[in-house]
Amino acid sequence: MKFNIPYLTGKEKEYVSQAIDNRNISGDGAFTKKCQDWFEKKFGFKKTFLTTSCTDALEMAAILLDIKAGDEVIVPSFTFVSTANAFLLRGARIVFADSCSDSPNMDADKLESLITKNTKVILIMHYAGFACDMEKIMSVANKHNLYVVEDAALALGSNYKGKSLGSFGHLSAFSFHETKNISCGEGGMLVVNDEQFIKRAEIIREKGTNRSAFFRGEVDKYGWTDIGSSFLPSDLLAAYLFAQLEAFEVIQNSRMKIWNLYYEGLKGNKNITLPASGNHNASIFYFTCRSLEDRTKLIAHLKQNNIPVSFHYQALHKSSFAASGDNLPNSEKYSDTLVRLPLYVDLKESEVNTIISTINSFYN
Ligand SMILES: Cc1ncc(COP(=O)(O)O)c(C=O)c1O
């Protein structure tokens, strides 16, 4: 048994061959456009740009929002390093926010206490595809005139009260890394929901040039018009990704079935806490143990039984790099006690049952 196996729809090779035959394997080829159209139609995103990673999409967001030294960005402590790094690279001061007591997501009730005259952005992350409290977050952002960026790396296909995650923020970022529901190995997407950023996003993604406008025949030569970098992926990656998008419902249904099997099998176990109910996209099945010590013993027990499990993020405010000295007990709690179980389409029901019984028997 493995912790993750990337799903293959069977169409990937055919579409990658087509991309090769198209003799246009750089960025923004036919498959890139197909993927972007698919996302915009399916989830109601205003404009999408495939990128080489979610990290790159976040870096584009920081450039688009003109982040500079002195600007403060509120970032959850319980997240991946890229969420913070992308903004730190532009000179921002990162202000760490705690998680909720009953969810790893940012505690929106404490948000206003973190806002100063220098705050420019609220950066949220929807853990395991469970939505942050978007009503509260958007209302605080509107009241204080702040930008909202969604790190939706784990949230493709999930929603908050029927509206797709990734469609709330001025800008949002998704990941298609091998570990995600839909993947192309390494890949990502910037979503631009605020029209004012669309034109510039295109330029920043093309090394700070107006090359896209040139290819559309809108200018007779292209040149250097802004800062930027090389954020666009090869059409080979987009071809692979498109095969996955066509199988989106199949992948989601299958992952959801496994997620529900775990939930049903573990809900009677009083030694662990399962995720609070709510909408999610079966990107991760997680639970929390009573303590770090308990988790260490459980993980050792599962490993002895050849069950690969993992945990998630090390609270950023406690990292050797940030060492902010903040007191964020909920973020630390999730870092110390959260356990993630294998979750992939090819995981067999018998394997899921073995994992469930091994966890339950550990506590008996
Ligand atoms: C919340 C979050 N944001 C960003 C990333 C970075 O994604 P990528 O590897 O596509 O850059 C990850 C990676 O898992 C993540 O979990």
Side-chain angles (χ1 to χ4, degrees):
M1 195 189 305
K2 288 193 168 174
F3 183 70
N4 179 57
I5 299 177
Y7 178 62
L8 280 177
T9 69
K11 281 275 197 178
E12 287 84 354
K13 283 184 188 161
E14 182 187 327
Y15 288 173
V16 169
S17 299
Q18 271 184 35
I20 293 169
D21 291 342
N22 285 346
R23 295 298 181 93
N24 178 10
I25 56 169
S26 59
D28 279 342
F31 281 103
T32 301
K33 288 187 178 65
K34 277 184 179 207
C35 290
Q36 291 177 175
D37 287 348
W38 189 94
F39 285 117
E40 287 163 22
K41 220 155 132 196
K42 176 96 178 162
F43 300 119
F45 301 145
K46 186 154 276 173
K47 182 81 184 136
T48 58
F49 294 95
L50 290 195
T51 56
T52 34
S53 63
C54 179
T55 302
D56 273 354
L58 290 163
E59 286 181 26
M60 281 184 70
I63 296 173
L64 281 167
L65 297 177
D66 274 331
I67 297 299
K68 53 187 180 333
D71 290 339
E72 291 179 10
V73 179
I74 299 174
V75 175
S77 164
F78 188 81
T79 186
F80 191 65
V81 288
S82 297
T83 325
N85 254 340
F87 286 75
L88 200 58
L89 274 168
R90 313 300 321 155
R93 190 172 97 77
I94 304 297
V95 176
F96 290 111
D98 204 2
S99 300
C100 302
S101 61
D102 61 351
S103 147
N105 285 343
M106 182 190 277
D107 186 348
D109 287 333
K110 298 203 190 113
L111 198 47
E112 266 192 300
S113 67
L114 302 174
I115 294 172
T116 72
K117 62 178 187 348
N118 296 320
T119 307
K120 197 158 180 189
V121 182
I122 301 171
L123 216 175
I124 55 166
M125 190 275 289
H126 307 288
Y127 187 67
F130 285 93
C132 293
D133 185 343
M134 293 317 299
E135 222 158 75
K136 201 161 286 168
I137 288 164
M138 295 314 289
S139 123
V140 170
N142 289 336
K143 180 174 158 195
H144 295 272
N145 208 15
L146 302 174
Y147 292 116
V148 172
V149 176
E150 294 176 73
D151 180 338
L154 306 171
L156 187 73
S158 200
N159 69 79
Y160 175 83
K161 298 188 178 173
K163 187 168 152 55
S164 295
L165 297 189
S167 66
F168 288 88
H170 298 80
L171 302 164
S172 303
F174 286 89
S175 174
F176 307 122
H177 181 263
E178 182 180 275
T179 49
K180 307 301 184 283
N181 295 24
I182 298 293
S183 91
C184 59
E186 300 277 355
M189 177 170 70
L190 176 76
V191 174
V192 181
N193 294 309
D194 184 337
E195 201 143 3
Q196 62 165 317
F197 296 116
I198 294 176
K199 250 193 159 150
R200 193 165 175 235
E202 189 177 87
I203 289 167
I204 287 165
R205 181 165 162 272
E206 267 284 19
K207 300 100 182 160
T209 73
N210 56 352
R211 186 153 77 168
S212 300
F214 172 69
F215 284 145
R216 287 195 300 268
E218 291 165 15
V219 290
D220 58 6
K221 57 181 181 302
Y222 78 86
W224 186 14
T225 60
D226 203 332
I227 61 166
S229 192
S230 186
F231 291 121
L232 68 174
S234 159
D235 217 44
L236 293 172
L237 284 174
Y240 188 106
L241 187 67
F242 190 65
Q244 301 254 309
L245 294 182
E246 283 187 331
F248 182 70
E249 302 300 337
V250 175
I251 293 171
Q252 287 305 98
N253 289 340
S254 164
R255 294 182 70 98
M256 206 58 90
K257 197 172 150 214
I258 296 167
W259 200 101
N260 288 332
L261 281 174
Y262 277 136
Y263 193 87
E264 287 306 310
L266 293 170
K267 72 179 183 196
N269 188 330
K270 300 293 172 230
N271 295 284
I272 59 175
T273 305
L274 300 188
S277 61
N279 228 305
H280 65 87
N281 64 346
S283 60
I284 286 174
F285 187 89
Y286 76 92
F287 59 82
T288 52
C289 295
R290 285 189 172 152
S291 65
L292 174 59
E293 197 188 357
D294 185 32
R295 181 178 75 174
T296 307
K297 285 184 188 154
L298 174 64
I299 289 180
H301 175 73
L302 291 168
K303 288 210 165 132
Q304 260 170 19
N305 285 278
N306 298 317
I307 296 172
V309 292
S310 177
F311 42 81
H312 233 169
Y313 309 111
Q314 292 304 290
L316 293 182
H317 73 285
K318 296 259 284 187
S319 63
S320 59
F321 183 63
S324 72
D326 291 315
N327 176 30
L328 305 173
N330 293 330
S331 166
E332 290 173 32
K333 177 184 82 173
Y334 287 105
S335 290
D336 287 347
T337 64
L338 189 144
V339 178
R340 297 157 62 202
L341 300 181
L343 176 51
Y344 48 92
V345 173
D346 295 312
L347 189 66
K348 296 189 193 77
E349 191 167 332
S350 60
E351 292 174 314
V352 174
N353 288 331
T354 302
I355 296 170
I356 292 168
S357 60
T358 311
I359 293 169
N360 287 337
S361 66
F362 171 74
Y363 288 105
N364 286 330

